[in-house]
Amino acid sequence: MFYAVWHKRGEDETGLTKLDLARQMLTMLRENVLRRLWIAMDRWFLCKEFFIFLMENGFDWVTKAKRNTALYQRIIEPGTRRERFVPVTSVMLIKAVFKDLLKLGLSGHVGIAIPNIYMKLPYTVTNRKGQVKKMRFVSVAAVVAMRLKEDEKTTEHRDSDSENESPATYRGAYLIISNRHDVPFKALETYVKRWRIEDFFRTIKQELGFEQCHSTSEAHHHAHFELLFAAETLLSYALWQLNKEKTSVDEGCTHGEMVSCLFHTRCQIRIQTHKGEERVYVDFDIQARQFANLFSQFWPDQLDMRWFSKSSFQ
């Protein structure tokens, strides 16, 4: 898992932007994973130059369109068969299919793909004058969707958003765009998964003390973050182990119960001599019994503990 801390800059200060940090993390990811990957992002990262970076490095992107996102609809004139690209707004596209969208069901997220939607993206050509940047029409997926999971938890409208920077929406429907025009509904499914990141941060803030590191050292904050990520990984696996075979709502465990039972369980450490050898015993509270299978999978069979005196390092 890669993460980066963004430092807010003053007007006269220089430093890495959020897009710079995103490029750095994705470049590190590409060094370890060669296959094509999806990048689901919120609308803050809607930037044409960033889209070009993603596609050049084998990433497919999907995000929510803004009100001012410049889109074009490709049409063929009936008489002349001439190809034209007509400017359209995100809200226009949503309104065009909204009535049909309501017919698709009353629960779960639904979507309608609109074909022949394009976006202008930059590219560079070399001529006698050197490198020149031009624009060309690139086909994009445009999916009008509603009842996204993120809309159940929070609202996308914020006081700091200007009219153009706010998401394109009409009566609870949004426009999702992606470079994968050939699989628009796959793009929608990928965007829906983005909300897991928001759930993750909400969980570690409420239940794991994400904001309770009081050190002023940045190194200490990084250590705090990394320990929380490791703890959440352990919790997620343990939660899956406990809930995978449950047969009723009363069985299993919630994330909060996992934190209370697993991390707040009392334990006692004692040293005892067995057949002439000193052993370290860890006795857990009885409520840890349900995690016995988890401990047996991850607890090492043998710990090689060595003790050093001060003179050993001189």
Side-chain angles (χ1 to χ4, degrees):
M1 180 176 184
F2 298 101
Y3 77 93
V5 176
W6 172 65
H7 297 275
K8 189 174 182 179
R9 299 174 299 168
E11 294 182 359
D12 300 328
E13 296 177 336
T14 60
L16 297 177
T17 67
K18 292 181 181 179
L19 290 174
D20 294 331
L21 295 174
R23 291 188 186 95
Q24 285 186 357
M25 289 188 288
L26 291 171
T27 301
M28 290 188 291
L29 176 62
R30 182 51 73 207
E31 293 175 356
N32 295 279
V33 182
L34 298 180
R35 65 187 181 90
R36 197 167 187 87
L37 296 172
W38 279 97
I39 303 298
M41 50 196 172
D42 63 35
R43 69 183 189 278
W44 193 95
F45 291 89
L46 203 162
C47 170
K48 293 182 178 180
E49 285 72 17
F50 188 53
F51 292 165
I52 297 298
F53 165 82
L54 292 175
M55 292 185 289
E56 288 179 347
N57 288 275
F59 295 106
D60 294 319
W61 55 266
V62 58
T63 187
K64 184 181 285 185
K66 301 177 184 178
R67 297 184 68 88
N68 65 342
T69 301
L71 298 172
Y72 301 83
Q73 190 162 30
R74 176 179 173 269
I75 62 172
I76 304 296
E77 294 181 346
T80 61
R81 306 299 298 173
R82 178 188 172 192
E83 180 183 64
R84 292 179 55 206
F85 292 92
V86 180
V88 292
T89 67
S90 303
V91 175
M92 287 171 55
L93 296 177
I94 298 173
K95 290 181 177 180
V97 300
F98 184 76
K99 291 183 179 179
D100 295 327
L101 192 66
L102 295 178
K103 300 175 184 178
L104 295 181
L106 299 176
S107 62
H109 66 270
V110 292
I112 293 180
I114 302 178
N116 300 322
I117 302 300
Y118 287 73
M119 174 184 287
K120 279 186 177 181
L121 292 181
Y123 71 102
T124 303
V125 296
T126 304
N127 55 25
R128 290 178 297 179
K129 297 181 180 180
Q131 290 189 339
V132 180
K133 183 174 289 188
K134 294 187 176 182
M135 304 294 286
R136 61 184 169 191
F137 290 102
V138 176
S139 181
V140 296
V143 185
V144 179
M146 68 185 308
R147 290 193 292 275
L148 301 175
K149 189 174 181 179
E150 60 194 65
D151 300 324
E152 301 171 7
K153 304 292 184 180
T154 186
T155 176
E156 281 283 341
H157 292 290
R158 300 173 184 172
D159 294 337
S160 60
D161 288 335
S162 65
E163 179 68 17
N164 288 330
E165 289 296 315
S166 62
T169 181
Y170 174 74
R171 297 177 63 181
Y174 297 89
L175 183 68
I176 307 300
I177 57 175
S178 167
N179 66 306
R180 290 299 302 273
H181 58 89
D182 54 328
V183 285
F185 293 107
K186 176 66 175 177
L188 175 59
E189 292 297 327
T190 301
Y191 181 81
V192 170
K193 295 177 182 179
R194 188 194 70 86
W195 190 248
R196 297 177 185 175
I197 302 172
E198 306 295 341
D199 278 338
F200 165 75
F201 279 103
R202 176 184 57 81
T203 297
I204 63 175
K205 286 179 181 179
Q206 294 180 357
E207 299 175 359
L208 295 180
F210 179 77
E211 297 173 319
Q212 296 178 11
C213 180
H214 302 294
S215 173
T216 58
S217 167
E218 184 172 345
H220 292 174
H221 282 276
H222 282 285
H224 179 65
F225 299 157
E226 290 165 8
L227 285 172
L228 288 182
F229 297 154
E232 179 60 23
T233 301
L234 173 64
L235 279 169
S236 298
Y237 180 80
L239 192 64
W240 172 74
Q241 282 279 7
L242 290 178
N243 293 343
K244 66 179 180 179
E245 296 180 356
K246 70 176 185 178
T247 57
S248 66
V249 178
D250 296 332
E251 296 182 10
C253 213
T254 66
H255 190 282
E257 291 170 341
M258 287 288 301
V259 173
S260 177
C261 293
L262 186 58
F263 289 160
H264 297 169
T265 296
R266 292 177 298 175
C267 67
Q268 174 182 293
I269 301 175
R270 55 191 172 89
I271 300 176
Q272 185 172 326
T273 302
H274 177 77
K275 294 181 180 181
E277 293 183 356
E278 282 193 343
R279 293 185 175 182
V280 178
Y281 292 85
V282 182
D283 301 320
F284 289 96
D285 208 343
I286 192 172
Q287 67 179 358
R289 182 179 298 171
Q290 60 182 322
F291 305 111
N293 184 45
L294 180 69
F295 292 152
S296 66
Q297 291 189 53
F298 290 100
W299 198 271
D301 295 331
Q302 182 176 353
L303 288 175
D304 186 10
M305 302 180 67
R306 301 179 183 272
W307 302 93
F308 297 93
S309 64
K310 183 178 179 181
S311 60
S312 300
F313 297 96
Q314 294 178 350

